Amino acid sequence: RHNNMAFLIAGRIFGLLCLLVIMASVAYYIKQAQGGKVPKVRRIPGIDAIDEALGRAVEMGRPVFCSHGIANLRAATSGPQTLAGLSVLSYVAKQSLAVGAELYVPVRQPEVWPVAADIVETEFKLAGRGDEYDPDKIPFLSNNQFGYSSNYIGMMMRERPGANIMIGAYWAESLQLAETGSRIGAMQITGTANSSQIPFFLVVSDYCLIGEEIYSAGAYLTNDAPLIASLAGQDVGRIIAVILGLLGALTVTFGSNILLDLFAM
């Protein structure tokens, strides 16, 4: 006899149900946003400070550096961080043109370079200044981790940016870059979801986006209703995780394995 439940895998059914709840929540909030009921997003000082950093650089007569990290777009954990950095780059490029800041975008990954270059060029064209776009200011430095960082450091020492914005996936080079930016007096806004690097950014940056804050940056900066609504839907998943964690701790403390049995479904 044909089993209609054969496609379900034991131990993953409860997780599937949670995923369906989160997807339904995202769809609900997007529908609400389309009707004009856009969820509110808490203020994130680090993102609010981007405009201040750009203005400071212009006042000092110094350029702006904006890096989206050193990861490619394909990795499951670091790829989304690169996308988050690129969404910030789009805003930084637009605002740099608005205030007259000179923008440099150091790139490590060959596959990311055309994306970053297209983002900046598009903003120039939208501003009606396509002829002013200079691809030399979006340099591909090196696909070697420390070759990239040493070139980035050299660029900062030569150009002495007034603002250094680094949001994306970073590893051992994080402190090298941020420390150099601090030494030359740049206002620094950093952010990463790599927990091992967050402490380094915290001690040498003016503002630091921690973990998932970098993923909300694009929605926050563009004020795009569907993106903000999707954040609200994802928050439902976080609330579910917290509730399950608390209930699990309580039930196990009192000798019950009911939640463990649910996860084993």
Side-chain angles (χ1 to χ4, degrees), residues 89-101:
L89 170 62
S90 178
Y91 179 81
V92 170
K94 179 180 179 179
Q95 293 303 106
S96 294
L97 285 166
V99 300

Side-chain angles (χ1 to χ4, degrees), residues 13-169:
I13 298 175
F14 185 72
L16 174 62
L17 293 176
C18 291
L19 176 61
L20 292 175
V21 170
I22 295 170
M23 292 172 63
S25 300
V26 171
Y28 168 78
Y29 281 111
I30 290 177
K31 187 69 175 177
Q32 289 288 96
Q34 290 173 341
K37 298 180 180 178
V38 182
K40 291 185 178 180
V41 179
R42 70 176 176 85
R43 308 303 296 175
I44 302 177
I47 300 178
D48 287 338
I50 290 178
D51 288 340
E52 177 189 348
L54 299 180
R56 181 177 182 272
V58 172
E59 290 175 355
M60 298 172 68
R62 293 161 66 174
V64 173
F65 277 31
C66 185
S67 166
H68 46 267
I70 69 169
N72 57 38
L73 296 168
R74 292 171 281 111
T77 56
S78 56
Q81 295 188 60
T82 302
L83 291 173
L86 290 171
S87 69
V88 172
L89 170 62
S90 178
Y91 179 81
V92 170
K94 179 180 179 179
Q95 293 303 106
S96 294
L97 285 166
V99 300
E102 184 181 14
L103 176 64
Y104 286 86
V105 185
V107 180
R108 179 205 173 184
Q109 295 288 349
E111 68 184 59
V112 180
W113 182 86
V115 180
D118 183 67
I119 287 172
V120 177
E121 184 177 14
T122 297
E123 293 300 335
F124 270 91
K125 290 179 177 178
L126 289 174
R129 298 165 57 183
D131 57 327
E132 297 179 28
Y133 167 70
D134 183 359
D136 291 338
K137 291 182 179 177
I138 299 88
F140 169 69
L141 299 182
S142 172
N143 61 0
N144 177 274
Q145 179 181 10
F146 294 109
Y148 169 81
S149 66
S150 61
N151 275 282
Y152 196 139
I153 290 170
M155 281 184 64
M156 282 198 285
M157 296 302 292
R158 291 190 302 273
E159 304 295 339
R160 305 189 72 80
N164 183 36
I165 301 168
M166 301 192 304
I167 295 176

Side-chain angles (χ1 to χ4, degrees), residues 10 12 60 76 80 82 105 111 120 139 161 174 192 197 208 219-220 238:
R12 298 186 181 180
M60 298 172 68
T82 302
V105 185
E111 68 184 59
V120 177
S174 62
T192 185
Q197 304 306 313
C208 180
Y220 189 97
R238 298 181 181 93

